[in-house]
Amino acid sequence: MIERILPGGVAVAESTAELPAAAAEAPELFPEEQEHIAASVPLRQAEFRAVRACARRALAALGRPAVPLVPGPRGEPRWPDGLVGSMTHCAGYRAAALAPADRLLSLGIDAESDLPLPEGVLEAIGRPEELPQIAALRRARPELHPDRLLFSAKESVYKAWFPLTGLMLDFTEATLVLSPDGTFTARLLVPGPVVAGRRLPGFRGRWLAASGLVLTAIAVPRP
């Protein structure tokens, strides 16, 4: 499903099986991965195992062997040399997307249940100029929860940003424009990463609402 909003050449693997069945069907973790989640609660262990099963399938689609995928200090996925990628999971859905680094600079994907955000979250993540868009999208797409879409798009922005900078990015440090046609733009309000001698001012992404999910994706092309 999420491949519909990603460019060609990106290997995508998804699963819609419910936990813990998805985790039970996943391959065994590498010792390094098992050690990383040894102290985690069972739900976190099941999510970790299930989404890495997707990542192994995406690696195989690119002709790469399975390798340990232990998160970095900020929880970011660390991929084999020559690859960029992103992973996501929510209730009833998980996915991994990978691409050769000579084609894309970075990838960011996110999946959320298409439900309203908890009270107070929109005010915490949204900028004043973004809030009128939520009302407009709600009128244009009454079946959609645009507050959740904004949250998901900002998650994808961060996932695309971090591999290029190694820095944290607050929800309010980028301002987004969400379009009813399934696209969005993100303008960075802090200095962007320098790529090929040029500072990136922001990102362009795509979104999709289907099967009770909101999906967002950003693919940063290599100059």
Side-chain angles (χ1 to χ4, degrees), residues 55-162:
R56 304 219 201 296
R57 286 164 45 210
L59 283 168
L62 293 175
R64 295 292 197 102
V67 294
L69 299 173
V70 180
R74 301 286 188 178
E76 74 280 8
R78 294 188 289 189
W79 303 105
D81 289 344
L83 295 178
V84 297
S86 185
M87 293 187 285
T88 187
H89 60 81
C90 66
Y93 182 83
R94 58 212 60 86
L98 290 171
D102 61 0
R103 298 191 61 176
L104 296 178
L105 286 172
S106 185
L107 270 172
I109 65 170
D110 187 70
E112 304 284 336
S113 298
D114 191 0
L115 298 169
L117 288 175
E119 186 176 351
V121 174
L122 177 59
E123 291 73 17
I125 69 159
R127 294 182 55 82
E129 67 272 18
E130 294 171 330
L131 301 183
Q133 298 178 64
I134 303 303
L137 265 178
R138 190 173 282 121
R139 291 191 297 270
R141 299 281 299 270
E143 79 285 2
L144 175 70
H145 295 96
D147 53 343
R148 184 71 68 165
L149 171 59
L150 180 67
F151 179 87
S152 179
K154 291 203 170 195
E155 285 286 314
S156 284
V157 168
Y158 176 74
K159 292 178 180 182
W161 153 277
F162 188 85

Side-chain angles (χ1 to χ4, degrees), residues 24-82:
E25 297 170 359
E28 286 298 315
L29 295 177
F30 286 91
E32 303 97 312
E33 295 170 322
Q34 190 63 56
E35 181 181 357
H36 180 78
I37 60 167
S40 301
V41 298
L43 178 60
R44 165 61 179 152
Q45 293 191 22
E47 290 171 340
F48 186 96
R49 182 185 295 274
V51 77
R52 272 156 182 76
C54 292
R56 304 219 201 296
R57 286 164 45 210
L59 283 168
L62 293 175
R64 295 292 197 102
V67 294
L69 299 173
V70 180
R74 301 286 188 178
E76 74 280 8
R78 294 188 289 189
W79 303 105
D81 289 344

Side-chain angles (χ1 to χ4, degrees), residues 173-201:
E173 290 181 325
T175 183
L176 273 62
V177 175
L178 306 170
S179 298
D181 65 358
T183 63
F184 66 92
T185 60
R187 178 170 60 87
L188 295 168
L189 303 177
V190 295
V194 176
V195 176
R198 175 178 174 268
R199 191 174 294 280
L200 290 183

